[in-house]
Amino acid sequence: MQMRSVNFNEVEATTEGSTYQQLPAGAYVCSIMAMEDFADKEYVRMMVDIIQGEHANYFSDKFYNDKPWSHSIVLSYKDKALGMLKGRLQTIAGCNPGFDPEAAWNAGNLNMFVGKAVGVVFRAEEYLDKKTGEFKLGSPRPDRMCLLTDLMDPKNADPLPKTLKDDVKRQMLKDAGFSPVLDKSGGAAPQVDLYADDVPF
């Protein structure tokens, strides 16, 4: 059998890795996939995945198997965080009529949360690229929960990026070996310090 010819005029060229589609920032209907308790640190890691729309099952890709931070929300039960925990449990209750998250929590039955729906707002976070010394926006991560009826609220549907404060940026640049200099817009204007104390020449 002869190899078929291809009309390359009708084909758009791509390169390896170019088919990856970053999740757009916004609010999504998610399902709670797992609840893992870290009792020594007093928090539960709630893993979620998108279950509706064109990005459904986005985090089921093997790529995310070892990246729980990319699709999880921390539910801290330290004394100072109990107000936030109660608010988040109430959001889960509001998304799942008839389910009592507080009772399930106090019974230690975290498995009851699995499969429950919740609105999750994903937004980009600023980070330091340690190779270039530039501050960039990373892939959107879970930032907060919301009711399913509030997905289209502008603050949820189009969330502003989570940016770093200037003093934090300066410290990060210093720790990474760059001169802690910012330009007028608050962006990084780092220069490698070739004469830092830890350089052996």
Side-chain angles (χ1 to χ4, degrees), residues 63-84:
F63 176 79
Y64 295 103
N65 285 352
D66 61 348
K67 299 171 181 64
W69 41 265
S70 65
H71 57 117
S72 65
I73 294 176
V74 170
L75 304 176
S76 174
Y77 51 92
K78 292 183 178 179
D79 287 342
K80 64 181 181 180
L82 291 179
M84 177 71 74

Side-chain angles (χ1 to χ4, degrees), residues 48-128:
V48 299
D49 198 358
I50 299 167
I51 56 173
Q52 286 185 11
E54 63 177 305
H55 299 290
N57 305 311
Y58 185 87
F59 296 103
S60 64
D61 191 290
K62 292 182 192 176
F63 176 79
Y64 295 103
N65 285 352
D66 61 348
K67 299 171 181 64
W69 41 265
S70 65
H71 57 117
S72 65
I73 294 176
V74 170
L75 304 176
S76 174
Y77 51 92
K78 292 183 178 179
D79 287 342
K80 64 181 181 180
L82 291 179
M84 177 71 74
L85 174 61
K86 183 171 183 176
R88 288 179 165 177
L89 293 180
Q90 287 179 346
T91 298
I92 294 172
C95 295
N96 299 276
F99 175 56
D100 188 342
E102 292 181 22
W105 184 281
N106 284 331
N109 196 347
L110 296 180
N111 286 334
M112 290 185 71
F113 287 82
V114 176
K116 298 298 186 288
V118 67
V120 178
V121 178
F122 288 75
R123 72 171 177 163
E125 296 183 14
E126 196 171 28
Y127 74 97
L128 174 64

Side-chain angles (χ1 to χ4, degrees), residues 163-180:
T163 56
L164 298 165
K165 294 181 179 178
D166 284 353
D167 58 334
V168 173
K169 286 184 176 182
R170 288 189 185 93
Q171 188 61 49
M172 290 175 74
L173 287 169
K174 185 177 178 182
D175 293 346
F178 292 93
S179 296

Side-chain angles (χ1 to χ4, degrees), residues 9-53:
N9 292 326
E10 302 295 325
V11 178
E12 183 176 345
T14 61
T15 57
E16 286 82 357
S18 65
T19 56
Y20 168 75
Q21 288 189 338
Q22 180 174 288
L23 180 71
Y28 297 88
V29 179
C30 292
S31 177
I32 299 172
M33 309 304 291
M35 298 279 282
E36 185 176 2
D37 183 26
F38 294 84
D40 56 328
K41 296 181 180 177
E42 296 186 290
Y43 77 87
V44 169
R45 183 167 64 196
M46 183 179 81
M47 306 288 291
V48 299
D49 198 358
I50 299 167
I51 56 173
Q52 286 185 11

Side-chain angles (χ1 to χ4, degrees), residues 109-155:
N109 196 347
L110 296 180
N111 286 334
M112 290 185 71
F113 287 82
V114 176
K116 298 298 186 288
V118 67
V120 178
V121 178
F122 288 75
R123 72 171 177 163
E125 296 183 14
E126 196 171 28
Y127 74 97
L128 174 64
D129 184 331
K130 293 183 179 179
K131 292 181 180 178
T132 65
E134 296 177 302
F135 287 96
K136 300 177 179 178
L137 289 179
S139 299
R141 297 182 186 178
D143 180 66
R144 60 185 182 275
M145 293 186 284
C146 69
L147 296 172
L148 300 179
T149 53
D150 293 338
L151 293 173
M152 299 310 296
D153 185 311
K155 70 179 181 182

